Amino acid sequence: MYAVIKTGGKQYRVQPGDVVVVEKIDGDAGAAISFNEVLMLGGDKGVTVGAPVVEGAKVAATLIETRKGEKIKIFKKIRRQGYRRTNGHRQMESVLRITGIEGAGETAKWDGKVELITKAEINARARGLAPRVEAAPAEEAPKAKKAPAKKKAEATEA
């Protein structure tokens, strides 16, 4: 099942389990977010198009992080006048994990676990700069067995 949602003046096609980068949404990491502006739903029962939104449809998501996006450079120049200006901008954006879609008599949930790992931490792990975190520590590690002592008879024969 998929849905087309509208947020931040843009439209996104999403499915349960997708990671989507959208315009900044207020909230802390791990917050549950619900989108009521669902423009279209598609699934096993066919496609449902809203006019302008599908009534009773919701898309649930979890906010993973809010960060600055890629740097955009603005360069202005008027030729032969010695006029050059450089400026830059980094837009704030939010990273979301879509956890569920419901509407038009259908529901779809994502069964996975939402991990709140930031993009910076993922990049650091890829370069080997961040320590790896174990998923679940072992309850008790098995104790190392001692090596059997050599018998005196074996030592004299050798």
Side-chain angles (χ1 to χ4, degrees):
M1 182 173 190
Y2 68 93
V4 176
I5 61 171
K6 182 179 177 184
T7 179
K10 298 177 182 137
Q11 297 176 7
Y12 300 91
R13 182 187 186 273
V14 296
Q15 290 178 274
D18 284 355
V19 175
V20 183
V21 178
V22 298
E23 294 290 320
K24 183 183 176 200
I25 296 175
D26 292 332
D28 294 330
I33 297 172
S34 178
F35 295 102
N36 296 326
E37 256 189 295
V38 179
L39 305 176
M40 185 174 89
L41 286 172
D44 297 334
K45 296 182 180 177
V47 176
T48 304
V49 179
V53 295
V54 179
E55 294 298 322
K58 289 183 183 179
V59 174
T62 302
L63 181 64
I64 296 174
E65 73 171 319
T66 300
R67 64 183 188 206
K68 283 189 172 184
E70 296 294 319
K71 186 178 281 188
I72 299 170
K73 287 202 172 195
I74 297 107
F75 182 72
K76 298 178 182 180
K77 179 180 174 161
I78 300 175
R79 63 183 186 163
R80 293 189 294 270
Q81 304 299 317
Y83 176 81
R84 291 187 297 174
R85 300 289 183 269
T86 304
N87 205 343
H89 179 69
R90 291 182 72 183
Q91 185 70 28
M92 293 297 289
E93 61 190 18
S94 294
V95 180
L96 304 173
R97 169 77 73 175
I98 306 299
T99 56
I101 300 173
E102 61 182 56
E106 289 185 77
T107 59
K109 300 283 183 195
W110 184 61
D111 296 330
K113 179 185 172 192
V114 177
E115 295 183 14
L116 302 178
I117 299 175
T118 63
K119 182 180 178 189
E121 189 174 344
I122 292 170
N123 292 341
R125 284 184 184 179
R127 293 190 307 253
L129 300 176
R132 295 211 178 255
V133 178
E134 296 296 326
E139 293 176 7
E140 277 194 39
K143 295 181 180 179
K145 294 182 180 179
K146 294 182 182 178
K150 292 184 179 180
K151 295 181 181 178
K152 291 181 183 177
E154 293 176 2
T156 57
E157 291 176 350

